[in-house]
Amino acid sequence: MDIFDNKKGGFTIMSGKTDVHGGFGQGVLDLNAVSSVIIDGDEAYIDMGALHAKSSVEKGIKWTANKDDVPNGKPYWIVWVTVDRNEAGPYYAGATACYMEIDREARRGYKILADHVNRMDYSMKRRIMLSELGEKEKAALKKLLIDNNAAMYDNSSEELKQALS
């Protein structure tokens, strides 16, 4: 996959736009560098719908912040992955994981929306927050990142590589 090909299914690569001005839209988050990964058990895949809580697993779900309201929920993770460029080329700059549980049959789900928003912001600030993931989730995410583009993974920080080992 060409990393500069911005078609569905790949990580969003930052635009070359470097000029930012004040005025209308100032303070608005620029999500051009953020992609969302869904981890379902030992499988990880890119689903850009998660940026607006409309991923394939989130559609049609009524959300609650009370975990007890979803007793038969299946665990899922959303990982916000931010990409950037350095002198070596593109790399995975930020990665943060958010937990949620979904009961598809009951159309109910548990997540803390504020946590998802804050974690996306942390990813955009180039933080690595993956310690809550289990071993199989880490392995699935690592495989996706490498399969998507091994050079980007190689260019990434040691902190990311350690978090996924």
Side-chain angles (χ1 to χ4, degrees):
M1 172 186 283
D2 181 0
I3 61 174
F4 299 104
D5 185 4
N6 202 12
K7 292 183 180 143
K8 182 180 177 184
F11 283 93
T12 304
I13 302 296
M14 289 181 55
S15 67
K17 182 176 147 184
T18 58
D19 58 324
V20 178
H21 60 84
F24 181 77
Q26 183 175 4
V28 174
L29 293 177
D30 181 7
L31 299 177
N32 283 334
V34 180
S35 296
S36 46
V37 172
I38 304 289
I39 301 178
D40 178 358
D42 58 358
E43 178 190 7
Y45 57 90
I46 299 167
D47 189 333
M48 294 303 288
L51 287 171
H52 302 287
K54 297 195 183 310
S55 68
S56 59
V57 297
E58 294 172 292
K59 284 183 183 173
I61 301 297
K62 183 174 179 183
W63 296 100
T64 179
N66 183 358
K67 201 172 187 178
D68 295 334
D69 292 343
V70 191
N72 300 317
K74 179 181 177 185
Y76 292 90
W77 290 90
I78 294 179
V79 180
W80 307 112
V81 179
T82 302
V83 295
D84 202 350
R85 295 175 193 267
N86 60 19
E87 58 281 346
Y91 68 102
Y92 302 114
T96 57
C98 306
Y99 183 74
M100 61 184 176
E101 287 186 19
I102 299 173
D103 182 344
R104 300 286 315 154
E105 190 174 307
R107 299 174 64 100
R108 303 278 291 162
Y110 159 80
K111 72 176 173 181
I112 306 296
L113 182 59
D115 185 49
H116 284 241
V117 171
N118 288 334
R119 298 273 178 136
M120 182 191 295
D121 181 56
Y122 295 153
S123 176
M124 293 171 61
K125 291 176 177 172
R126 313 309 192 249
R127 294 186 187 171
I128 306 297
M129 299 173 71
L130 302 172
S131 61
E132 296 167 334
L133 294 176
E135 293 305 314
K136 71 178 179 180
E137 290 89 0
K138 287 179 182 181
L141 179 59
K142 182 177 181 178
K143 180 181 182 327
L144 176 72
L145 296 177
I146 292 171
D147 288 351
N148 180 71
N149 191 295
M152 282 180 68
Y153 183 79
D154 291 342
N155 289 342
S156 298
S157 70
E158 286 304 314
E159 181 183 10
L160 175 67
K161 293 172 187 171
Q162 288 294 322
L164 291 174
S165 62

